[in-house]
Amino acid sequence: MSMNRTGTVRHAAVIGSGVMGAGIAAHLANAGMRVLLLDVVPQALLPEEEKRGLTLASPQVRSRLAQAAIARMAKAQPAPLYEPSFAGRITAGNLEDHLAGLSEVDWIVEAVVERLDVKRSLFERVESVWRPGTIVSSNTSGLSVAEMVEGRSDAFRQHFAVTHFFNPPRYMKLVEVVPTRDTAPEVTALLTALCEERLGKGVVVAKDTPNFIANRIGTYGMLVTLEEGLRFGLTVEEADALTGPAMGRPKTATFRMLDLVGLDTLLHVVDNVREKSTDAAERETFARPPLLEKLVASGRLGEKSGGGFYRKIKGPKGGSEIESLDLESLAYRPRSSVKGPIIDAAKAAKGTGGKVRALIGTDPKHKYAQFAWQTIKRTLLYSAALVGVIADSITDIDKAMKWGFSWELGPFELWDALGLEKSVARMKAEGNAVPEWVLTWIAEGNGSFYKVQEGRRFVYAGGGGGYAAEELSPDEISLAALKEAGRTVLRTSDASLIDLGDDVVCLEFHSQNNAIGGEILTAIRRTAEEVSKNWRGLVIANDGRNFCVGANLLLLLMEAQNGEWDEVEDIIRMFQSSMLSIKKLDRPVVAAPHRMTLGGGVEACLPADQIIFSPETYFGLVETGVGLIPAGGGSKEAAVMAAARAGGGEIQPHLNALFETVAMAKTSTSGFDVDRIGLKRPQDRVIMRQDARIAEAKRAVLELDRAGYTPQPQARVRVAGREGKAVLRMGVHGLLLGGQISKHDALIGNKLAHVMAGGDAAPGAEVSEQYLLDLECEAFLSLCGERKTQDRMSHMLSTGKPLRN
């Protein structure tokens, strides 16, 4: 097998069908691999197996564990598969009857119980059928990599490393690749490329130390938070309010995260570090917290046992309520909200650095500020002490924490945001030992670990080498770096046009939540003019948390409540004309959406010549959820798609399917799933590696240009007309009679049917796109005037959830 080509790995095996093993198998299947999933042979029959007359010798019993794991994939939440049909790529087996099958695969992934003796025994069996050259990796989260393969042949050890996936494997970006001294460099390189290019992961290469990078620092941070929380007398809610988004970390913060991980699991990780550590101070830090020991001894393990630091109970009115643990009495009490000037300042601050500075600096003597400083300070110092121990580069440590624990900034990026020299001076004043390399770095005149220069990011290189340019894959394009290098062509407050090179530009949204408002619409129209005159083509993409959550709903609601109907119509007409300017552009346009791409976000993609979806794209026209219909060209584009799919045949079946998608506000669960809801066109495709989506979109633009691009013909659209509308409305009426929708839902559905069918046109009539846009606008305006629609809009803005009224 060639070691420099990931495409040679087509067939994999996963040993262990538990949560992690099944999740890894599912994601390998997501990447198009055929997967053999193996587990042990059951030692006892299930009651239902006995009733069916099966025995322990029955094949379906012997491979039951793997078969059951595959069956669960279709129902599991969050879904491990991009598309349920991908389960067909996985074959169930067992370690006795199908062990020899390992000799036929290109990659073997072990994901069994975290016990060194079990893994060693398994690898001995694996080697008995191992085909020389086949890569073998373990999914251990912290066991010694070298010790797992003691006694194995030199050739086996050369082809062995750890690939530590984070749970759930489909969604978590990080994979830690951990080689041993024996691992061949080309094997490490191939595993890195496989995980990045085929699986779409972010890879860091870690050293063979206890718990590797992310779990080592993440666990330390949790222990410090617990210790400092108790010292400052904080409640569980207060600690989580300070160590969640206010600190640039997930909403699960600390104690909610501990409940999800499992308190017993945390103690296992703590024990692993302490037992392997030779540093007395570290061993003391990783001592078992008495509080955790008490909770585990009492069976309070977290979410899996029904309660840990939080628990969910039934309320007096039948609904569920959340209670939190009193850290002194260990009794539960109603969860309370946390407020105060420091919390408010952090929420109002821009960017993670600003939020953390607000936490620490708004009222430095307050216990919240003291707690935040101590937890951050200790984590930064611990991370710095581990440079060269757990990883060779600070960027790998930063990436591991961002990708594995969803921190907005890694430790060294956060240190820069706090001000390296200022924060180190405070640490020294407080009597803390700062690692010598940090002091030397500052003494050499460096005020930060990172700096941006000429569009590239440079990073501390170590060993007296000053800064080194951060390595980026040729498939990664950083819009932030390009803007820093002065490659912005035009800009409004909410959008920028950026030169990607090779005469291709990228339109980037950067409003709040990337919602589309007047500034973005203005930028779209200006972009169309600029690209037509001076560029080969356009990419529509951004690096935000989500591509676009839709239109600026608050602005629409305010205008509607004030009865400013001319203003509302102007907004819709501007939206429509802006999207039409993309569609009519005489240069190729490729959209590259990612994550939430809803409502107006979809309408910004559909006019493009091609859409390149990230695998994690949640795509849908969701306007009916707020009492409206798509009116930025979305309803019109659905009618256009129905006509295109019909060709010269009957439109109605295609129209029915798309009407259901829009009326029911269906959203894809992945980029692959866009096909299921009918919004994927023949030319659209999915790219596994989200980080490469902008570069891939640029390549697609250049290919369209090289092929001699001609604009999409503005042909007339064949519609189902009044008879087609009647069919759609009959379906709406049936749902209303069946109690499945409300009267207001029916009103919305009927108006949508009017637009998508082409109004009162004759069946099969051909109409212009502008005619359909006029119908969209009319229906949208009438719905804006409905009180129940305004209530839906208001409810969504205040709660983030749809209102059924």
Side-chain angles (χ1 to χ4, degrees):
M1 181 175 61
S2 170
M3 283 295 175
N4 60 4
R5 292 184 58 217
T6 65
T8 59
V9 180
R10 302 184 181 92
H11 191 182
V14 176
I15 304 173
S17 64
V19 172
M20 284 303 299
I24 293 168
H27 198 60
L28 298 183
N30 284 337
M33 296 182 193
R34 291 182 296 121
V35 183
L36 175 64
L37 180 60
L38 304 181
D39 211 318
V40 296
V41 174
Q43 299 300 304
L45 290 172
L46 297 175
E48 55 266 33
E49 291 171 336
E50 290 181 347
K51 289 180 182 178
R52 292 168 56 198
L54 300 175
T55 70
L56 289 175
S58 301
Q60 55 265 61
V61 173
R62 294 177 67 80
S63 298
R64 178 220 301 155
L65 296 178
Q67 289 171 349
I70 297 170
R72 285 193 296 270
M73 290 177 187
K75 299 178 181 178
Q77 291 297 327
L81 294 164
Y82 288 143
E83 189 177 290
S85 66
F86 290 177
R89 298 170 179 169
I90 308 173
T91 301
N94 65 73
L95 281 167
E96 293 183 14
D97 303 329
H98 306 101
L99 185 69
L102 298 179
S103 65
E104 300 173 4
V105 305
D106 307 310
W107 180 15
I108 300 168
V109 183
E110 169 272 312
V112 301
V113 64
E114 285 283 79
R115 279 179 47 187
L116 190 59
D117 59 334
V118 173
K119 292 180 185 289
R120 279 177 171 169
S121 175
L122 176 63
F123 289 130
E124 182 178 4
R125 296 183 65 194
V126 169
E127 188 171 12
S128 71
V129 296
W130 178 68
R131 184 185 66 199
T134 301
I135 295 177
V136 183
S137 67
S138 169
N139 185 58
T140 181
S141 60
L143 294 178
S144 168
V145 187
E147 289 179 13
M148 282 191 283
V149 285
E150 283 183 359
R152 304 281 54 79
S153 68
D154 289 348
F156 189 92
R157 294 200 309 274
Q158 287 166 5
H159 289 81
F160 179 81
V162 156
T163 46
H164 178 210
F165 290 80
F166 277 62
N167 191 34
R170 167 184 161 179
Y171 299 92
M172 295 302 293
K173 184 173 180 177
L174 179 63
V175 172
E176 293 173 317
V177 170
V178 191
T180 69
R181 292 180 180 177
D182 296 325
T183 307
E186 59 267 28
V187 170
T188 304
L190 181 56
L191 281 171
T192 299
L194 269 173
C195 292
E196 288 179 344
E197 297 170 18
R198 293 285 297 281
L199 305 184
K201 297 300 174 187
V203 174
V204 297
V205 177
K207 292 179 179 290
D208 186 6
T209 57
N211 299 104
F212 312 133
I213 301 175
N215 280 343
R216 179 84 166 262
I217 294 174
T219 300
Y220 178 86
M222 290 178 182
L223 293 176
V224 165
T225 299
L226 177 59
E227 181 183 331
E228 297 293 347
L230 291 170
R231 182 160 76 95
F232 284 101
L234 301 188
T235 64
V236 166
E237 297 95 322
E238 286 176 322
D240 275 355
L242 294 165
T243 59
M247 205 175 273
R249 297 177 188 173
K251 291 180 181 179
T252 48
T254 300
F255 291 106
R256 176 69 182 125
M257 174 69 79
L258 285 172
D259 279 353
L260 292 172
V261 170
L263 276 57
D264 54 337
T265 301
L266 180 73
L267 287 181
H268 173 75
V269 174
V270 166
D271 292 342
N272 192 47
V273 176
R274 185 183 66 256
E275 291 165 6
K276 298 287 179 67
S277 178
T278 57
D279 181 82
E282 183 176 57
R283 288 175 62 84
E284 183 178 345
T285 299
F286 278 84
R288 285 181 157 223
L291 174 61
L292 290 185
E293 287 192 307
K294 288 179 184 178
L295 291 173
V296 171
S298 66
R300 289 182 276 187
L301 310 180
E303 190 170 89
K304 61 187 175 184
S305 69
F309 288 101
Y310 295 96
R311 72 174 181 181
K312 186 182 292 186
I313 62 168
K314 285 188 177 180
K317 297 182 180 179
S320 61
E321 295 181 358
I322 303 294
E323 293 185 327
S324 63
L325 188 74
D326 184 297
L327 296 178
E328 291 187 3
S329 68
L330 300 189
Y332 289 100
R333 53 174 174 70
R335 183 173 60 172
S336 59
S337 60
V338 180
K339 299 177 181 178
I342 290 178
I343 300 292
D344 292 341
K347 286 181 178 178
K350 299 277 186 170
T352 299
K355 291 181 184 300
V356 176
R357 289 192 295 270
L359 278 183
I360 295 170
T362 300
D363 184 357
K365 294 184 179 180
H366 193 282
K367 68 176 182 178
Y368 287 177
Q370 290 291 321
F371 165 82
W373 166 246
Q374 291 298 328
T375 55
I376 291 171
K377 174 183 73 173
R378 293 178 64 182
T379 303
L380 297 183
L381 290 171
Y382 184 70
S383 300
L386 292 175
V387 173
V389 177
I390 60 175
D392 285 327
S393 74
I394 66 170
T395 52
D396 277 348
I397 293 175
D398 278 346
K399 287 175 181 177
M401 299 318 298
K402 291 190 291 184
W403 296 342
F405 276 73
S406 300
W407 291 9
E408 292 289 338
L409 296 176
F412 299 97
E413 292 172 327
L414 179 57
W415 212 332
D416 278 357
L418 288 175
L420 177 59
E421 294 174 276
K422 181 180 178 182
S423 58
V424 166
R426 180 175 176 182
M427 292 171 184
K428 291 170 67 178
E430 293 174 357
N432 298 112
V434 179
E436 191 62 34
W437 72 265
V438 176
L439 298 176
T440 300
W441 179 247
I442 294 173
E444 291 172 350
N446 301 299
S448 63
F449 294 114
Y450 295 90
K451 67 177 181 178
V452 176
Q453 192 172 310
E454 297 179 353
R456 296 196 67 183
R457 193 163 81 148
F458 291 78
V459 60
Y460 161 81
Y467 288 99
E470 187 173 12
E471 292 184 15
L472 284 179
S473 161
D475 282 339
E476 292 183 39
I477 292 177
S478 169
L479 297 180
L482 291 174
K483 288 193 288 186
E484 187 75 24
R487 301 273 285 273
T488 301
V489 178
L490 61 84
R491 176 185 170 91
T492 70
S493 61
D494 291 345
S496 296
L497 189 65
I498 304 160
D499 178 5
L500 299 180
D502 298 315
D503 293 327
V504 178
V505 282
C506 177
L507 178 61
E508 174 202 36
F509 303 160
H510 44 71
S511 61
Q512 185 174 1
N513 294 321
N514 284 343
I516 296 176
E519 291 294 313
I520 286 180
L521 296 176
T522 297
I524 289 173
R525 294 202 308 281
R526 288 175 61 192
T527 291
E529 295 172 5
E530 170 68 22
V531 172
S532 179
K533 292 177 182 177
N534 300 312
W535 303 88
R536 292 171 70 182
L538 172 67
V539 170
I540 303 175
N542 62 69
D543 285 328
R545 182 182 294 273
N546 298 297
F547 176 77
C548 176
V549 298
N552 187 331
L553 195 60
L554 178 60
L555 176 62
L556 283 169
L557 177 61
M558 289 172 58
E559 299 289 9
Q561 288 178 332
N562 292 332
E564 300 288 347
W565 303 116
D566 288 344
E567 292 292 331
V568 175
E569 182 170 2
D570 286 347
I571 292 170
I572 297 308
R573 294 295 186 187
M574 186 179 181
F575 206 123
Q576 292 178 337
S577 65
S578 299
M579 300 311 167
L580 206 56
S581 71
I582 297 174
K583 188 166 186 175
K584 291 180 176 180
L585 189 62
D586 57 356
R587 298 286 186 269
V589 181
V590 177
H594 66 284
R595 295 186 61 82
M596 289 177 64
T597 305
L598 305 175
V602 173
E603 291 175 312
C605 292
L606 291 178
D609 297 289
Q610 185 179 16
I611 303 173
I612 295 177
F613 294 102
S614 161
E616 298 300 340
T617 306
Y618 318 123
F619 197 79
L621 292 163
V622 297
E623 286 85 349
T624 59
V626 290
L628 299 167
I629 68 161
S635 300
K636 178 263 293 182
E637 286 296 325
V640 170
M641 278 192 273
R645 289 169 187 170
E650 187 180 354
I651 298 174
Q652 196 69 52
H654 305 284
L655 181 63
N656 291 349
L658 283 163
F659 175 77
E660 182 178 320
T661 286
V662 181
M664 303 300 287
K666 289 184 179 180
T667 304
S668 73
T669 58
S670 72
F672 292 94
D673 191 52
V674 178
D675 195 39
R676 175 187 61 86
I677 64 171
L679 295 179
K680 184 171 177 285
R681 307 163 309 180
Q683 69 269 34
D684 301 333
R685 56 193 173 91
V686 184
I687 181 172
M688 279 296 293
R689 191 178 180 192
Q690 179 172 303
D691 290 344
R693 69 188 185 283
I694 298 176
E696 186 65 21
K698 176 187 170 183
R699 279 193 286 268
V701 165
L702 292 172
E703 183 57 37
L704 287 167
D705 179 65
R706 279 193 294 268
Y709 178 77
T710 54
Q712 299 178 42
Q714 299 302 304
R716 294 174 71 80
V717 183
R718 193 162 64 93
V719 296
R722 51 182 175 267
E723 291 184 7
K725 176 173 68 173
V727 172
L728 297 180
R729 286 185 167 180
M730 281 177 60
V732 171
H733 187 63
L735 292 173
L736 180 62
L737 289 179
Q740 294 172 266
I741 62 174
S742 68
K743 288 184 178 179
H744 193 55
D745 290 326
L747 174 67
I748 300 163
N750 286 331
K751 289 185 179 294
L752 179 65
H754 182 73
V755 176
M756 288 183 62
D760 292 319
E766 292 186 347
V767 301
S768 68
E769 290 194 35
Q770 188 58 54
Y771 169 82
L772 293 171
L773 289 173
D774 291 342
L775 293 181
E776 269 189 359
C777 185
E778 179 186 353
F780 190 94
L781 283 168
S782 66
L783 286 169
C784 277
E786 296 285 339
R787 178 65 188 179
K788 288 189 175 182
T789 284
Q790 293 179 18
D791 289 343
R792 288 190 180 193
M793 295 166 74
S794 179
H795 190 267
M796 176 62 74
L797 286 167
S798 61
T799 69
K801 298 177 181 179
L803 172 68
R804 293 299 303 274
N805 58 358

